[in-house]
Amino acid sequence: MAPFVSAQVQGTEVIWSSVLVSLFGDRTPPLSSQFSALSPIGANQLFSSGSFFRQRYITPSETETPNNLVIYGISTYQVDNTQVVSRAYYDQFTTASGMAFVQGLYPPTQTLNQPVTYETMLGSMYQLADGSTVDFPLSGYQYSTIDTSSGLDPSSIWVAGMDSCPSYDAAKLEYLNSPGFYATALQTEAFYQTLFTNVFEGMVEETEINYRNAFDIYDYLNYNIVHNVTVNSRVSQDELYQAQIRASQWMYGVNGNNSVPENVNTMAGRALANYVIGLLSSNIDSDGNSNKINLLFTSYEPMVALTSLFDLAPLHNEFFGLPQLGSVLAFELYSILPPNATDITYPSVEDLQVRFLFRNGTNDTTALNAYPIFGHGDSDISMSYENFLGDMESIMIADVGDWCHQCGSQSQFCLGYDASGGASSGGVSSSSGSASSGSKISPAIAGVLGAIIMIAIAGFILGLAMLLFGFRLERRHKTGIVKTKRRSDLGGFKGSEKLASDPDLTVLSVKGKNDGAGATVIREGRGHERVGSWELNDNEGGRGVIRGIPKEIGDDGASVVERMGEHFESIKAVRPEERV
């Protein structure tokens, strides 16, 4: 079924807010480097995407559709950080993708074709007391705020809801050990053996190059076929296309299979849905003055999971495939002006509408297409905000506490939430999730409070006994003589300035040896860069994981292959050189 380039409406549209969920740009794959970074190609992809949406929402060209697509009241030339709200995961390539996007959305002021007025002549320049002016570097470069979150921050779940989520990891392992997975693994064994011989031999173990690591393999090939002469000469476009199909199948199987109980495998999409509603709600609450453009920079999992929850794949094959680098999911909040309206005021909630759009890639010819979601027909591409809110609440998590509970997460910030949920952090609380928010104390907190109370009681009793009966506490050496230790006797690097309560500062190297200078370095756990399955080969939580693919899967192996049918074989995935 073909998408619509834009929804056909009667009357004049007024766009109040837009939420753009963007995939990062081209970057070094984790298999190539321990530190993935945005490449110059990736920066240009995101800059181009930002320029595209500048033309749609800020300064449309004369070739745009008759409807006015400019966001009402948006700052035209200088970025206003109350109007433009951005969030990214803390990976370098994700954050840098956001910076490149905003460069295209709000370029340096001196490069813009502004009307000549006193204000625009000054642009971003500031007049000093002596009458001179000074501008920002790089011809008036504009600095937009981008909020970043690591896995220690509860806000990280909005853009990386699959991280530190044991329930998601369990669902992932369930797929990786399912009959359908093993059938595909046997089907593709010869293909991956060829890739190992031509590309990966001497780089990784042969048992690693198989369907279990389909995404990481494609991720490596897709980057190096452009950046590496050797890989480019050894991998054909057909082989890259086959690797892309299998990576798409793997990613959808892990993040988009809605048959998993409680949809724990779509957790990243369910958290993202909450944040989208929160951003649109902020625009509504401010009568359109804030959150005019909302930017989220994330990875494949949240985007695949969310579109899966929208029931898009059965009708639109492109949603079975991996989105292209720099792709954008867009949610537009708008209203229709009444006939003969003489002024524009923010409408009531009942008059607000929402539409969902998708731009698969960053090429100049790639269109931004509108799609009906939640199983609605083509006539329902535009939904009332109230209906959209109801449908989103049916799939999204309630708040951070709900995420902690459903994931069974041991993240530090989850200690403050009980099974009923808790205070939200940046998103919204649904009616079912907010009623008990903050009203109960979690077992962990209750235990800490109980211990403190018991210590206080014991201290009080001891003090009372010392007061009434003259008891005293003394530290005695083996000789029975009390010795008071002077500060100069305490040793350590502080010498005589050291207090008895000051511990010596001990440094452990990464290998655990005492190097004698510095502090103990604690490295955070698994990073976010590895979206594939290599990390599942580690023995985590006492669970043994098979690293390779067995040669046989049982007597029903052949029938399992047949049952796979033509589902993914019929997918018309986007070839690397094709455009949607």
Side-chain angles (χ1 to χ4, degrees), residues 45-71:
Q45 288 170 335
L46 271 292
F47 179 86
S48 174
S49 184
S51 300
F52 175 90
F53 284 100
R54 174 175 176 80
Q55 188 177 70
R56 181 176 180 85
Y57 294 136
I58 301 175
T59 56
S61 66
E62 296 179 356
T63 60
E64 285 286 359
T65 58
N67 293 321
N68 187 4
L69 296 173
V70 174
I71 294 179

Side-chain angles (χ1 to χ4, degrees), residues 51-346:
S51 300
F52 175 90
F53 284 100
R54 174 175 176 80
Q55 188 177 70
R56 181 176 180 85
Y57 294 136
I58 301 175
T59 56
S61 66
E62 296 179 356
T63 60
E64 285 286 359
T65 58
N67 293 321
N68 187 4
L69 296 173
V70 174
I71 294 179
Y72 185 75
I74 191 76
S75 175
T76 305
Y77 301 108
Q78 297 185 36
V79 63
D80 182 340
N81 286 310
T82 66
Q83 296 182 354
V84 180
V85 178
S86 306
R87 177 170 294 281
Y89 200 69
Y90 78 119
D91 289 327
Q92 188 278 342
F93 56 88
T94 309
T95 304
S97 292
M99 296 171 64
F101 186 100
V102 177
Q103 286 176 358
L105 192 67
Y106 280 98
T109 54
Q110 294 181 32
T111 66
L112 298 173
N113 185 21
Q114 307 179 52
V116 180
T117 65
Y118 175 75
E119 289 78 11
T120 58
M121 274 196 306
L122 286 178
S124 59
M125 296 194 296
Y126 288 81
Q127 189 167 16
L128 305 180
D130 61 1
S132 63
T133 58
V134 61
D135 200 354
F136 288 100
L138 305 175
S139 302
Y141 183 90
Q142 305 205 50
Y143 299 86
S144 179
T145 300
I146 300 179
D147 294 328
T148 59
S149 307
S150 74
L152 299 177
D153 187 337
S155 297
S156 65
I157 72 169
W158 309 128
V159 289
M162 65 286 178
D163 279 5
S164 301
C165 182
S167 296
Y168 169 83
D169 293 336
K172 185 176 183 179
L173 283 172
E174 184 176 346
Y175 170 72
L176 296 179
N177 290 281
S178 66
F181 166 82
Y182 281 118
T184 305
L186 290 178
Q187 256 185 332
T188 57
E189 188 175 21
F191 167 69
Y192 284 110
Q193 177 61 49
T194 300
L195 289 181
F196 173 78
T197 302
N198 294 340
V199 180
F200 295 100
E201 190 168 10
M203 177 180 169
V204 296
E205 295 293 332
E206 183 177 1
T207 54
E208 300 285 5
I209 305 303
N210 50 54
Y211 178 60
R212 178 177 287 271
N213 298 311
F215 176 82
D216 281 336
I217 292 169
Y218 168 71
D219 190 32
Y220 177 87
L221 295 177
N222 191 43
Y223 176 86
N224 281 286
I225 203 168
V226 175
H227 296 269
N228 186 295
V229 175
T230 302
V231 174
N232 181 277
S233 64
R234 295 182 179 181
V235 178
S236 68
Q237 287 297 319
D238 284 340
E239 287 174 325
L240 181 64
Y241 176 55
Q242 286 298 319
Q244 180 186 10
I245 289 178
R246 296 310 176 185
S248 297
Q249 182 178 355
W250 184 95
M251 186 63 70
Y252 192 86
V254 171
N255 297 278
N257 182 4
N258 292 331
S259 63
V260 175
E262 299 183 4
N263 282 340
V264 291
N265 63 315
T266 59
M267 186 60 71
R270 295 170 62 200
L272 178 59
N274 177 294
Y275 200 59
V276 169
I277 291 297
L279 294 170
L280 295 178
S281 296
S282 294
N283 179 265
I284 295 172
D285 293 341
S286 68
D287 290 334
N289 292 315
S290 69
N291 295 83
K292 293 179 182 293
I293 295 181
N294 306 274
L295 307 174
L296 302 176
F297 300 96
T298 185
S299 57
Y300 290 96
E301 295 94 333
M303 298 179 71
V304 171
L306 186 60
T307 56
S308 168
L309 292 166
F310 285 167
D311 295 328
L312 285 166
L315 296 176
H316 305 281
N317 281 342
E318 56 266 42
F319 290 100
F320 274 124
L322 287 173
Q324 298 293 302
L325 292 169
S327 294
V328 172
L329 308 178
F331 301 85
E332 294 181 346
L333 180 69
Y334 68 99
S335 63
I336 307 299
L337 281 179
N340 304 319
T342 57
D343 59 352
I344 299 177
T345 58
Y346 201 84

